[in-house]
Short mmCIF file of all heavy atoms in Angstrom, two decimals:
data_model
loop_
_atom_site.label_atom_id
_atom_site.label_comp_id
_atom_site.label_asym_id
_atom_site.label_seq_id
_atom_site.Cartn_x
_atom_site.Cartn_y
_atom_site.Cartn_z
N ASP J 670 -3.29 2.46 8.77
CA ASP J 670 -3.98 1.27 8.43
C ASP J 670 -4.66 1.42 7.11
O ASP J 670 -5.47 2.38 6.87
CB ASP J 670 -5.11 1.07 9.59
CG ASP J 670 -5.89 -0.23 9.31
OD1 ASP J 670 -5.31 -1.18 8.86
OD2 ASP J 670 -7.17 -0.30 9.65
N VAL J 671 -4.28 0.63 6.19
CA VAL J 671 -4.83 0.71 4.78
C VAL J 671 -5.38 -0.67 4.34
O VAL J 671 -4.73 -1.60 4.58
CB VAL J 671 -3.60 1.11 3.87
CG1 VAL J 671 -4.12 1.16 2.41
CG2 VAL J 671 -3.02 2.34 4.28
N HIS J 672 -6.52 -0.55 3.79
CA HIS J 672 -7.14 -1.85 3.30
C HIS J 672 -7.05 -1.86 1.83
O HIS J 672 -7.12 -0.81 1.16
CB HIS J 672 -8.60 -1.88 3.67
CG HIS J 672 -9.24 -3.20 3.49
ND1 HIS J 672 -9.63 -3.65 2.32
CD2 HIS J 672 -9.45 -4.25 4.39
CE1 HIS J 672 -10.05 -4.87 2.38
NE2 HIS J 672 -9.99 -5.32 3.64
N PRO J 673 -6.71 -3.06 1.16
CA PRO J 673 -6.56 -3.07 -0.30
C PRO J 673 -7.73 -2.44 -1.08
O PRO J 673 -7.53 -1.88 -2.05
CB PRO J 673 -6.34 -4.65 -0.52
CG PRO J 673 -5.74 -5.12 0.70
CD PRO J 673 -6.40 -4.31 1.88
N ARG J 674 -8.96 -2.57 -0.59
CA ARG J 674 -10.10 -2.12 -1.27
C ARG J 674 -9.95 -0.56 -1.44
O ARG J 674 -10.31 -0.06 -2.53
CB ARG J 674 -11.44 -2.47 -0.69
CG ARG J 674 -12.01 -1.60 0.36
CD ARG J 674 -13.35 -2.02 0.81
NE ARG J 674 -13.41 -1.72 2.24
CZ ARG J 674 -13.30 -2.63 3.30
NH1 ARG J 674 -13.18 -3.88 2.93
NH2 ARG J 674 -13.32 -2.26 4.49
N GLU J 675 -9.47 0.16 -0.49
CA GLU J 675 -9.29 1.61 -0.62
C GLU J 675 -8.21 1.91 -1.54
O GLU J 675 -8.21 2.97 -2.21
CB GLU J 675 -8.95 2.32 0.81
CG GLU J 675 -10.20 2.55 1.63
CD GLU J 675 -10.72 1.25 2.37
OE1 GLU J 675 -9.86 0.47 2.87
OE2 GLU J 675 -11.93 1.08 2.48
N VAL J 676 -7.19 1.10 -1.60
CA VAL J 676 -5.97 1.29 -2.41
C VAL J 676 -6.39 1.18 -3.90
O VAL J 676 -6.09 1.93 -4.81
CB VAL J 676 -4.80 0.34 -2.08
CG1 VAL J 676 -3.75 0.42 -3.11
CG2 VAL J 676 -4.26 0.74 -0.71
N PHE J 677 -7.12 0.12 -4.18
CA PHE J 677 -7.45 -0.24 -5.56
C PHE J 677 -8.66 0.43 -6.19
O PHE J 677 -8.79 0.50 -7.38
CB PHE J 677 -7.64 -1.78 -5.76
CG PHE J 677 -6.26 -2.53 -5.73
CD1 PHE J 677 -5.88 -3.16 -4.45
CD2 PHE J 677 -5.41 -2.42 -6.66
CE1 PHE J 677 -4.64 -3.77 -4.46
CE2 PHE J 677 -4.10 -2.99 -6.66
CZ PHE J 677 -3.72 -3.70 -5.47
N ARG J 678 -9.58 0.96 -5.28
CA ARG J 678 -10.79 1.56 -5.88
C ARG J 678 -10.47 2.71 -6.81
O ARG J 678 -11.01 2.72 -7.96
CB ARG J 678 -11.64 2.06 -4.67
CG ARG J 678 -12.94 2.70 -5.03
CD ARG J 678 -13.88 3.23 -3.97
NE ARG J 678 -14.32 2.09 -3.16
CZ ARG J 678 -14.14 1.87 -1.87
NH1 ARG J 678 -13.56 2.79 -1.14
NH2 ARG J 678 -14.64 0.86 -1.24
N PRO J 679 -9.67 3.67 -6.44
CA PRO J 679 -9.36 4.70 -7.41
C PRO J 679 -8.61 4.21 -8.68
O PRO J 679 -8.75 4.81 -9.79
CB PRO J 679 -8.59 5.81 -6.64
CG PRO J 679 -8.00 5.04 -5.44
CD PRO J 679 -8.95 3.91 -5.21
N LEU J 680 -7.81 3.21 -8.51
CA LEU J 680 -7.07 2.69 -9.61
C LEU J 680 -7.92 2.03 -10.61
O LEU J 680 -7.77 2.14 -11.85
CB LEU J 680 -6.01 1.70 -9.07
CG LEU J 680 -4.94 2.24 -8.05
CD1 LEU J 680 -4.08 1.15 -7.57
CD2 LEU J 680 -4.08 3.29 -8.71
N VAL J 681 -8.87 1.31 -10.18
CA VAL J 681 -9.83 0.50 -11.06
C VAL J 681 -10.65 1.59 -11.83
O VAL J 681 -10.85 1.54 -13.05
CB VAL J 681 -10.74 -0.41 -10.22
CG1 VAL J 681 -11.88 -0.98 -11.12
CG2 VAL J 681 -9.91 -1.47 -9.67
N ARG J 682 -11.17 2.66 -11.06
CA ARG J 682 -11.93 3.72 -11.72
C ARG J 682 -11.15 4.34 -12.85
O ARG J 682 -11.69 4.77 -13.85
CB ARG J 682 -12.42 4.68 -10.69
CG ARG J 682 -13.53 4.20 -9.85
CD ARG J 682 -14.02 5.21 -8.87
NE ARG J 682 -15.04 4.82 -7.98
CZ ARG J 682 -15.36 5.31 -6.83
NH1 ARG J 682 -14.68 6.26 -6.43
NH2 ARG J 682 -16.30 4.74 -6.15
N ALA J 683 -9.87 4.60 -12.57
CA ALA J 683 -9.02 5.34 -13.49
C ALA J 683 -8.53 4.49 -14.72
O ALA J 683 -8.00 4.99 -15.64
CB ALA J 683 -7.84 5.96 -12.87
N GLY J 684 -8.71 3.16 -14.56
CA GLY J 684 -8.20 2.19 -15.60
C GLY J 684 -6.72 2.19 -15.80
O GLY J 684 -6.24 2.25 -16.95
N VAL J 685 -6.03 2.26 -14.71
CA VAL J 685 -4.47 2.30 -14.79
C VAL J 685 -3.93 1.00 -15.19
O VAL J 685 -4.51 -0.08 -15.07
CB VAL J 685 -3.85 2.77 -13.46
CG1 VAL J 685 -4.47 4.05 -13.01
CG2 VAL J 685 -4.10 1.73 -12.35
N ALA J 686 -2.63 1.01 -15.65
CA ALA J 686 -1.91 -0.23 -15.98
C ALA J 686 -1.12 -0.83 -14.89
O ALA J 686 -0.93 -1.99 -14.76
CB ALA J 686 -0.92 0.06 -17.10
N ALA J 687 -0.75 0.07 -13.85
CA ALA J 687 -0.01 -0.45 -12.68
C ALA J 687 0.02 0.65 -11.65
O ALA J 687 -0.51 1.70 -11.81
CB ALA J 687 1.47 -0.67 -13.15
N ALA J 688 0.51 0.27 -10.46
CA ALA J 688 0.43 1.19 -9.31
C ALA J 688 1.76 1.25 -8.57
O ALA J 688 2.56 0.27 -8.52
CB ALA J 688 -0.66 0.69 -8.39
N VAL J 689 1.89 2.45 -7.90
CA VAL J 689 3.05 2.59 -6.99
C VAL J 689 2.40 3.08 -5.69
O VAL J 689 1.64 4.00 -5.71
CB VAL J 689 4.03 3.62 -7.46
CG1 VAL J 689 5.15 3.84 -6.44
CG2 VAL J 689 4.67 3.19 -8.83
N CYS J 690 2.69 2.38 -4.65
CA CYS J 690 2.22 2.88 -3.26
C CYS J 690 3.23 3.65 -2.61
O CYS J 690 4.47 3.43 -2.79
CB CYS J 690 1.78 1.64 -2.43
SG CYS J 690 0.49 0.60 -3.19
N VAL J 691 2.83 4.56 -1.87
CA VAL J 691 3.80 5.47 -1.18
C VAL J 691 3.27 5.91 0.17
O VAL J 691 2.05 6.13 0.34
CB VAL J 691 3.87 6.89 -1.97
CG1 VAL J 691 4.99 7.73 -1.36
CG2 VAL J 691 4.16 6.63 -3.47
N HIS J 692 4.12 5.83 1.21
CA HIS J 692 3.85 6.41 2.53
C HIS J 692 5.09 7.03 3.18
O HIS J 692 6.16 6.70 2.74
CB HIS J 692 3.06 5.48 3.41
CG HIS J 692 3.85 4.45 4.14
ND1 HIS J 692 4.32 3.28 3.60
CD2 HIS J 692 4.33 4.47 5.46
CE1 HIS J 692 5.09 2.61 4.48
NE2 HIS J 692 5.08 3.41 5.58
N ASN J 693 4.79 7.86 4.13
CA ASN J 693 5.88 8.51 4.86
C ASN J 693 6.22 7.84 6.25
O ASN J 693 5.35 7.12 6.73
CB ASN J 693 5.55 9.98 5.11
CG ASN J 693 4.38 10.18 5.98
OD1 ASN J 693 3.30 9.48 5.70
ND2 ASN J 693 4.43 11.15 6.79
N HIS J 694 7.39 8.15 6.69
CA HIS J 694 7.79 7.71 8.03
C HIS J 694 8.16 8.97 8.78
O HIS J 694 9.22 9.53 8.58
CB HIS J 694 8.96 6.78 8.09
CG HIS J 694 8.53 5.29 7.86
ND1 HIS J 694 9.48 4.29 7.82
CD2 HIS J 694 7.38 4.73 7.59
CE1 HIS J 694 8.91 3.11 7.62
NE2 HIS J 694 7.67 3.28 7.45
N PRO J 695 7.26 9.50 9.65
CA PRO J 695 7.56 10.70 10.42
C PRO J 695 8.81 10.59 11.36
O PRO J 695 9.40 11.59 11.65
CB PRO J 695 6.28 10.98 11.23
CG PRO J 695 5.18 10.23 10.58
CD PRO J 695 5.91 9.03 9.87
N SER J 696 9.17 9.38 11.64
CA SER J 696 10.34 9.17 12.52
C SER J 696 11.67 9.58 11.85
O SER J 696 12.74 9.92 12.52
CB SER J 696 10.56 7.68 12.76
OG SER J 696 10.99 6.99 11.62
N GLY J 697 11.65 9.75 10.52
CA GLY J 697 12.87 10.18 9.70
C GLY J 697 13.58 9.03 9.15
O GLY J 697 14.51 9.16 8.33
N ASP J 698 13.33 7.74 9.65
CA ASP J 698 14.01 6.60 9.16
C ASP J 698 13.11 5.91 8.08
O ASP J 698 12.06 5.42 8.40
CB ASP J 698 14.25 5.62 10.28
CG ASP J 698 14.97 4.32 10.03
OD1 ASP J 698 15.30 4.13 8.80
OD2 ASP J 698 15.13 3.52 10.81
N PRO J 699 13.61 5.81 6.80
CA PRO J 699 12.84 5.21 5.75
C PRO J 699 12.85 3.66 5.75
O PRO J 699 12.28 3.07 4.90
CB PRO J 699 13.44 5.75 4.54
CG PRO J 699 14.82 5.90 4.88
CD PRO J 699 14.89 6.29 6.33
N THR J 700 13.49 3.01 6.69
CA THR J 700 13.61 1.54 6.65
C THR J 700 12.22 0.92 6.80
O THR J 700 11.49 1.22 7.74
CB THR J 700 14.48 1.10 7.81
OG1 THR J 700 15.79 1.77 7.75
CG2 THR J 700 14.70 -0.44 7.86
N PRO J 701 11.90 -0.02 5.96
CA PRO J 701 10.57 -0.55 6.02
C PRO J 701 10.42 -1.49 7.28
O PRO J 701 11.37 -2.20 7.60
CB PRO J 701 10.48 -1.51 4.74
CG PRO J 701 11.80 -1.44 4.04
CD PRO J 701 12.72 -0.50 4.75
N SER J 702 9.25 -1.37 7.90
CA SER J 702 9.03 -2.26 8.98
C SER J 702 8.36 -3.59 8.54
O SER J 702 8.03 -3.73 7.31
CB SER J 702 7.95 -1.61 9.92
OG SER J 702 6.72 -1.46 9.27
N GLU J 703 8.26 -4.51 9.45
CA GLU J 703 7.56 -5.77 9.06
C GLU J 703 6.12 -5.58 8.51
O GLU J 703 5.83 -6.22 7.57
CB GLU J 703 7.70 -6.83 10.24
CG GLU J 703 9.13 -7.43 10.45
CD GLU J 703 9.69 -8.05 9.26
OE1 GLU J 703 8.86 -8.73 8.55
OE2 GLU J 703 10.81 -7.96 8.95
N PRO J 704 5.37 -4.78 9.19
CA PRO J 704 4.05 -4.54 8.75
C PRO J 704 4.10 -3.81 7.34
O PRO J 704 3.25 -4.15 6.50
CB PRO J 704 3.51 -3.58 9.74
CG PRO J 704 4.08 -3.87 11.00
CD PRO J 704 5.52 -4.19 10.59
N ASP J 705 5.02 -2.92 6.99
CA ASP J 705 5.22 -2.46 5.72
C ASP J 705 5.41 -3.55 4.66
O ASP J 705 4.83 -3.48 3.52
CB ASP J 705 6.41 -1.41 5.62
CG ASP J 705 6.19 -0.15 6.48
OD1 ASP J 705 4.98 0.24 6.68
OD2 ASP J 705 7.17 0.51 6.78
N LEU J 706 6.36 -4.46 4.99
CA LEU J 706 6.66 -5.48 4.05
C LEU J 706 5.45 -6.44 3.80
O LEU J 706 5.18 -6.80 2.73
CB LEU J 706 7.88 -6.31 4.55
CG LEU J 706 9.13 -5.53 4.72
CD1 LEU J 706 10.24 -6.33 5.30
CD2 LEU J 706 9.65 -5.02 3.31
N ALA J 707 4.73 -6.71 4.95
CA ALA J 707 3.53 -7.61 4.82
C ALA J 707 2.46 -6.94 4.01
O ALA J 707 1.81 -7.54 3.17
CB ALA J 707 3.08 -7.95 6.28
N LEU J 708 2.29 -5.65 4.17
CA LEU J 708 1.27 -4.85 3.45
C LEU J 708 1.66 -4.86 1.99
O LEU J 708 0.77 -5.07 1.12
CB LEU J 708 1.10 -3.45 3.98
CG LEU J 708 0.24 -2.55 3.23
CD1 LEU J 708 -1.25 -3.10 3.19
CD2 LEU J 708 0.16 -1.14 3.69
N THR J 709 2.81 -4.71 1.67
CA THR J 709 3.30 -4.68 0.29
C THR J 709 2.95 -6.01 -0.42
O THR J 709 2.50 -6.00 -1.47
CB THR J 709 4.91 -4.41 0.23
OG1 THR J 709 5.10 -3.14 0.83
CG2 THR J 709 5.34 -4.50 -1.19
N GLN J 710 3.21 -7.12 0.31
CA GLN J 710 2.95 -8.48 -0.26
C GLN J 710 1.46 -8.56 -0.44
O GLN J 710 1.03 -9.16 -1.45
CB GLN J 710 3.43 -9.61 0.65
CG GLN J 710 5.02 -9.55 0.85
CD GLN J 710 5.69 -9.85 -0.41
OE1 GLN J 710 5.21 -10.01 -1.54
NE2 GLN J 710 6.96 -10.06 -0.23
N ARG J 711 0.63 -8.17 0.56
CA ARG J 711 -0.89 -8.19 0.36
C ARG J 711 -1.28 -7.42 -0.83
O ARG J 711 -2.16 -7.81 -1.58
CB ARG J 711 -1.52 -7.65 1.64
CG ARG J 711 -1.52 -8.57 2.83
CD ARG J 711 -2.32 -8.12 4.00
NE ARG J 711 -3.66 -7.74 3.72
CZ ARG J 711 -4.33 -6.74 4.27
NH1 ARG J 711 -3.81 -5.98 5.19
NH2 ARG J 711 -5.56 -6.52 4.10
N LEU J 712 -0.77 -6.15 -1.06
CA LEU J 712 -1.16 -5.30 -2.13
C LEU J 712 -0.69 -5.90 -3.48
O LEU J 712 -1.39 -5.89 -4.48
CB LEU J 712 -0.66 -3.96 -1.96
CG LEU J 712 -1.19 -3.16 -0.81
CD1 LEU J 712 -0.48 -1.88 -0.58
CD2 LEU J 712 -2.75 -2.96 -0.90
N ARG J 713 0.47 -6.53 -3.43
CA ARG J 713 0.93 -7.18 -4.74
C ARG J 713 -0.01 -8.38 -5.09
O ARG J 713 -0.36 -8.48 -6.28
CB ARG J 713 2.35 -7.71 -4.52
CG ARG J 713 3.42 -6.64 -4.58
CD ARG J 713 4.81 -7.25 -4.46
NE ARG J 713 5.76 -6.38 -4.86
CZ ARG J 713 7.16 -6.59 -4.80
NH1 ARG J 713 7.51 -7.84 -4.36
NH2 ARG J 713 7.99 -5.69 -5.12
N ALA J 714 -0.48 -9.11 -4.06
CA ALA J 714 -1.36 -10.19 -4.41
C ALA J 714 -2.68 -9.76 -4.89
O ALA J 714 -3.24 -10.23 -5.79
CB ALA J 714 -1.52 -11.08 -3.09
N GLY J 715 -3.20 -8.63 -4.24
CA GLY J 715 -4.41 -8.02 -4.69
C GLY J 715 -4.34 -7.45 -6.10
O GLY J 715 -5.27 -7.60 -6.96
#
């Protein structure tokens, strides 16, 4: 569970130009889930 404010807080402080989000799938399958895709869209909008 990741909230956009936690994602962007360190980025704003560092004054970055852009961001790459990264997470692991312990199952071994890297296929994105629907929640992964939805979170990506939320983070892009933010």
Side-chain angles (χ1 to χ4, degrees):
D670 186 30
V671 179
H672 194 278
R674 86 175 146 257
E675 278 80 37
V676 171
F677 288 103
R678 182 178 291 128
L680 300 174
V681 170
R682 286 183 181 156
V685 304
V689 176
C690 297
V691 186
H692 81 279
N693 62 317
H694 277 184
S696 68
D698 181 359
T700 305
S702 65
E703 286 304 319
D705 292 337
L706 298 174
L708 175 61
T709 302
Q710 298 293 11
R711 283 179 61 210
L712 293 173
R713 282 181 167 179

